[in-house]
Amino acid sequence: MSTVQPELTLAVHPGDRLAQELGRRGLTQSDLARAMGYPRSTINSVIRGYNYMTPVFALCLEEALPGLPAESWLATSAHYQVSVLRSLTDY
């Protein structure tokens, strides 16, 4: 068993962050899909947590949503995945 303590902050699901960002910018999933060249169903799958945030997807988000670098999307995704793993195991 590890001595690392779980973080006290709640991890934000990257799909939740994406949905919040779309709302903040007044964009729909369809708007984002067109800007990224992805089907709307792919955007929806990421928002609902059915698909993971990949580096390619994060780079496309960076271009479609200026001001949010790909690294921040990937960090959100990694933080969420580690938090889930910690909550399910003795890590």
Side-chain angles (χ1 to χ4, degrees):
M1 185 158 95
S2 172
T3 59
V4 175
Q5 296 297 315
E7 294 187 27
L8 296 177
T9 58
L10 294 176
V12 175
H13 186 277
D16 290 341
R17 180 178 175 214
L18 180 54
Q20 291 169 359
E21 188 60 30
L22 290 178
R24 191 179 74 74
R25 293 178 187 230
L27 298 172
T28 66
Q29 291 181 28
S30 295
D31 295 332
L32 182 61
R34 277 190 296 278
M36 292 177 65
Y38 277 86
R40 191 192 65 77
S41 60
T42 300
I43 306 301
N44 187 262
S45 290
V46 171
I47 287 175
R48 296 186 66 178
Y50 298 133
N51 289 346
Y52 286 108
M53 182 80 56
T54 66
V56 171
F57 192 86
L59 283 169
C60 291
L61 278 175
E62 176 182 83
E63 189 172 316
L65 301 174
L68 296 171
E71 294 86 355
S72 72
W73 291 107
L74 293 174
T76 298
S77 183
H79 184 253
Y80 179 79
Q81 290 176 42
V82 168
S83 295
V84 168
L85 181 62
R86 281 190 178 137
S87 74
L88 298 174
T89 66
D90 287 336
Y91 286 105

